[in-house]
Amino acid sequence: MKLNKWVRGAVVGTMTASLLAGCSATKDNGETGSVKDTKSADGKEMVGNMYTTGLPIVKDKVTLKMIGIQAAGSAEFADMPFFKQLEEKTNVHIEWENYPAQSYVDKKNLLLAANEVPDAFFGSSAFTMDDANKYGSKGTVIPLDDLISKYAPNYQAALKKMPLLGGLSTAFDGKKYTMGTVIEQEVRNYPDNLYINKKWLDKLGLKVPTTIDEYYAVLKAFKEGDPNGNGKNDEIPFTFTKWNHINGYGSFFGAFGRVDVFNGSDVTPYDHIVVENNKLVLTADKPEYKEALKNLSRFFKDGLFDKEGFTQDQNQYTAKLQDPTGVVGSFYAWSSTAASPKTQQDYIAIAPLKGPDGKEAVVKKRNNNINVMGSGFAISSKNKYPEITMRWVDEFYNQLTSVESQFGPVGVGLKDKGNNTYDYVTEAPDGTQYVDMWKKYGPQDNAPKFIPKEFFGKVIPVNPADQEKSDNISKYYAKAKQNDTLPLMNFTADEIKTNASIGMDIGNFVKDKQTAWLLNGGVEEGWDDYIAKLKQLKIDDFMKSMQTAYDRSIGAAK
């Protein structure tokens, strides 16, 4: 289905619409109207076509249209076993419009601007709290408070167990236009671990690098020494994807005193800012940042850092790591499973690199409520059947459904061990790695859910990739000096305007200059003009606005 189909269509097909004629209407303010309660032939309570409890949700199949984000390497939602089984259970069919993260925001903004929205926005990044504050009062999406109290027992239980979830999902007018997402894992606080090809090191007689200068020497040897032994100059010493908090290069800046924080492929107000003693610090105008750019530019100049990193997408990055012949010497990733199964054992995680002066590295820690988000699902005002939609999404806050959405359904991605505990299926029929096949089975992080920290190790085991990461964190990161990233904050209308104007101007300028200086050098000559331009772009006003939002948000979180 293409974008213009939403311009033409009602929420459901003609046949479905006639079957649902008995469902309750929705008032302009989003509150549900009332219809006469009935009972099905087997005695179940119904409202129109909808059962009020249990599964299926409706007697006659309903079709809803939703938009969401498709992660790199994942299947189309419509093809995932998770959604196929969910449809069988609920009798609700979803017509999906999925886009990759790098194009999703533009598509969403086009829909919002034209008021040609789907029935619902699905996923933690699909409709943000900024969107809720901007479009909720305009009536683009409906308040969910009454629907939650009537038709979402699983989500109510989650709110009771974790009050922070309710606070983070409440807009400034006091209403909830979104339902939140929780995946509480300590390993998510340290997203990027640095890996290096130990097989190549051994072949070239090199030691594991501990400083940024030693790392440079190792990458230079990788480039010139034919460590994969094929007689070709095809080695990529280090590869990355731009502005990515897992697969980027921002943590190299930690060798010079502060990391550089990225939060995605788009410019965001959270970029290039760290928290020190509850004060926000812009890293991009500091001497440490300048020194990092000066030092790291030599890696690009000498062909040691992959210049394609600034243009390649996640799929292209993954393809290089998955090359079974082995062409990549080093990378940042969640775990070694990012590499091909044939080369995965060649890579080891190494400690964050020290600076040229031998000082210990600073590492990035995303510890400010990054695992608890106020966004996850929103229902548009064009949705004719919000009660059915609420009952459908409430299933995602059921313990088993939450886990299945992350790892695939029982019998496909999970094994039922009894007593509400599960194990992973770690071998795919075609030999695909388990972390890759889970992307095919369910929506993973791009779905609302409630997985609190006590699930891991009890309801489901810690999977091998996360155990590897946990071990790396304990060994290299937990005791290191840390830069805290910003929490997900709930901005006021004025702050949203500041972010969209001053913040975007600053973000685009910083990233453009960073890219130019890394690729071509020249930071020394251009630094003073750069600082003057930041002042001209009102960097002080922007940081004051962000500090105000932080003080309010972190106070609410506590």
Side-chain angles (χ1 to χ4, degrees):
M1 182 189 74
K2 298 301 180 184
L3 190 65
N4 61 7
K5 286 190 178 181
W6 280 338
V7 182
R8 303 195 300 263
V11 179
V12 294
T14 304
M15 180 181 295
T16 304
S18 64
L19 291 170
L20 290 174
C23 276
S24 58
T26 302
K27 298 178 183 178
D28 291 341
N29 63 5
E31 296 176 354
T32 56
S34 60
V35 297
K36 183 178 180 181
D37 291 352
T38 61
K39 286 190 177 182
S40 64
D42 57 2
K44 291 183 179 180
E45 294 291 335
M46 299 187 71
V47 177
N49 182 45
M50 182 185 75
Y51 299 104
T52 57
T53 59
L55 297 175
I57 292 173
V58 292
K59 179 180 179 182
D60 298 308
K61 182 164 289 191
V62 174
T63 295
L64 299 170
K65 296 180 181 180
M66 298 188 188
I67 186 173
I69 298 173
Q70 182 180 356
S74 72
E76 293 281 348
F77 282 10
D79 297 330
M80 290 178 174
F82 170 81
F83 285 113
K84 290 180 178 180
Q85 290 194 18
L86 187 63
E87 179 172 340
E88 292 176 3
K89 294 175 183 177
T90 63
N91 206 25
V92 176
H93 173 72
I94 307 300
E95 188 174 321
W96 289 106
E97 186 85 17
N98 294 127
Y99 297 96
Q102 58 265 35
S103 62
Y104 176 82
V105 173
D106 289 338
K107 297 294 184 182
K108 177 188 69 175
N109 288 341
L110 284 173
L111 291 171
L112 290 169
N115 196 27
E116 295 167 356
V117 292
D119 293 325
F121 297 86
F122 180 91
S124 59
S125 299
F127 196 84
T128 66
M129 287 307 299
D130 280 1
D131 293 329
N133 282 316
K134 183 176 181 180
Y135 293 100
S137 60
K138 294 180 179 180
T140 306
V141 292
I142 64 173
L144 305 177
D145 306 76
D146 288 346
L147 288 169
I148 290 170
S149 65
K150 292 177 181 178
Y151 300 113
N154 293 321
Y155 192 65
Q156 288 180 63
L159 292 173
K160 184 176 181 180
K161 186 171 185 178
M162 189 175 290
L164 174 62
L165 180 61
L168 292 176
S169 61
T170 301
F172 276 107
D173 63 6
K175 298 177 182 179
K176 288 182 173 62
Y177 298 99
T178 63
M179 298 168 74
T181 304
V182 173
I183 315 174
E184 272 192 312
Q185 282 183 289
E186 178 67 16
V187 293
R188 289 173 178 260
N189 297 335
Y190 300 90
D192 54 341
N193 290 179
L194 181 59
Y195 284 85
I196 199 163
N197 195 315
K198 183 65 163 58
K199 183 178 180 180
W200 288 9
L201 289 175
D202 293 342
K203 182 173 181 178
L204 298 176
L206 302 171
K207 295 181 179 180
V208 174
T210 61
T211 70
I212 194 72
D213 287 343
E214 290 175 0
Y215 187 69
Y216 172 89
V218 163
L219 295 193
K220 197 169 192 304
F222 283 175
K223 178 176 175 61
E224 299 173 351
D226 189 28
N228 65 4
N230 65 0
K232 301 178 181 179
N233 186 22
D234 59 351
E235 287 84 1
I236 304 171
F238 173 81
T239 192
F240 64 95
T241 56
K242 67 174 183 178
W243 311 333
N244 190 290
H245 69 283
I246 298 176
N247 309 129
Y249 56 79
S251 285
F252 284 128
F253 285 61
F256 303 90
R258 286 191 178 95
V259 297
D260 192 36
V261 175
F262 305 133
N263 288 278
S265 58
D266 298 304
V267 174
T268 79
Y270 298 91
D271 294 341
H272 316 294
I273 298 175
V274 297
V275 184
E276 297 178 357
N277 298 318
N278 282 325
K279 296 298 180 183
L280 305 196
V281 176
L282 178 76
T283 63
D285 63 352
K286 300 297 184 292
E288 297 91 342
Y289 179 85
K290 175 184 175 184
E291 188 63 26
L293 290 174
K294 179 181 177 181
N295 190 293
L296 294 174
S297 67
R298 61 180 174 147
F299 287 79
F300 286 96
K301 178 182 178 182
D302 294 341
L304 308 183
F305 281 8
D306 188 0
K307 291 184 179 181
E308 291 183 357
F310 286 113
T311 56
Q312 68 186 358
D313 61 22
Q314 194 68 30
N315 290 326
Q316 293 168 310
Y317 165 86
T318 299
K320 292 177 179 178
L321 295 185
Q322 292 286 319
D323 188 323
T325 63
V327 296
V328 175
S330 184
F331 55 88
Y332 278 105
W334 184 267
S335 73
S336 62
T337 57
S340 163
K342 293 185 178 181
T343 61
Q344 179 182 329
Q345 69 279 358
D346 298 341
Y347 295 95
I348 60 169
I350 65 174
L353 297 169
K354 299 177 183 178
D357 54 5
K359 287 185 179 180
E360 294 294 327
V362 179
V363 302
K364 172 177 60 186
K365 186 176 183 183
R366 295 167 62 88
N367 68 341
N368 295 310
N369 306 317
I370 196 67
N371 297 323
V372 183
M373 294 167 277
S375 56
F377 192 80
I379 300 175
S380 81
S381 56
K382 292 195 174 183
N383 187 319
K384 294 183 178 179
Y385 310 103
E387 300 91 344
I388 292 171
T389 308
M390 177 57 66
R391 286 218 56 218
W392 181 85
V393 74
D394 190 53
E395 281 298 307
F396 284 81
Y397 300 97
N398 169 285
Q399 174 178 293
L400 176 57
T401 308
S402 284
V403 173
E404 287 184 314
S405 71
Q406 197 72 13
F407 305 106
V410 171
V412 179
L414 294 169
K415 304 173 186 176
D416 190 344
K417 295 172 58 180
N419 297 319
N420 293 319
T421 62
Y422 307 91
D423 202 352
Y424 303 110
V425 175
T426 57
E427 294 182 3
D430 60 359
T432 304
Q433 294 195 83
Y434 55 91
V435 292
D436 293 320
M437 72 183 184
W438 288 338
K439 296 177 184 178
K440 310 291 186 182
Y441 293 165
Q444 298 199 301
D445 287 10
N446 291 306
K449 56 175 58 70
F450 185 71
I451 304 180
K453 57 186 176 183
E454 58 267 25
F455 273 34
F456 296 97
K458 293 182 180 179
V459 176
I460 50 177
V462 177
N463 69 62
D466 287 348
Q467 185 60 59
E468 175 189 325
K469 191 171 190 67
S470 180
D471 293 341
N472 292 336
I473 289 170
S474 297
K475 188 174 182 179
Y476 298 127
Y477 292 82
K479 295 181 180 179
K481 183 179 179 181
Q482 298 167 349
N483 281 156
D484 290 345
T485 64
L486 285 172
L488 294 173
M489 299 188 297
N490 199 347
F491 295 106
T492 66
D494 287 342
E495 289 163 354
I496 291 173
K497 290 179 182 178
T498 298
N499 292 342
S501 54
I502 299 176
M504 286 293 290
D505 290 343
I506 292 169
N508 283 316
F509 175 66
V510 169
K511 284 182 168 57
D512 287 346
K513 295 302 293 184
Q514 180 182 114
T515 302
W517 281 334
L518 285 173
L519 290 175
N520 307 311
V523 64
E524 286 279 10
E525 298 83 351
W527 186 255
D528 290 343
D529 289 342
Y530 168 77
I531 295 298
K533 181 64 174 180
L534 285 176
K535 291 286 187 183
Q536 182 182 336
L537 292 173
K538 301 182 180 179
I539 186 64
D540 293 336
D541 291 346
F542 173 67
M543 290 302 295
K544 182 179 179 180
S545 174
M546 290 296 290
Q547 183 71 55
T548 300
Y550 173 84
D551 291 340
R552 183 183 61 249
S553 298
I554 202 66
K558 290 179 178 178

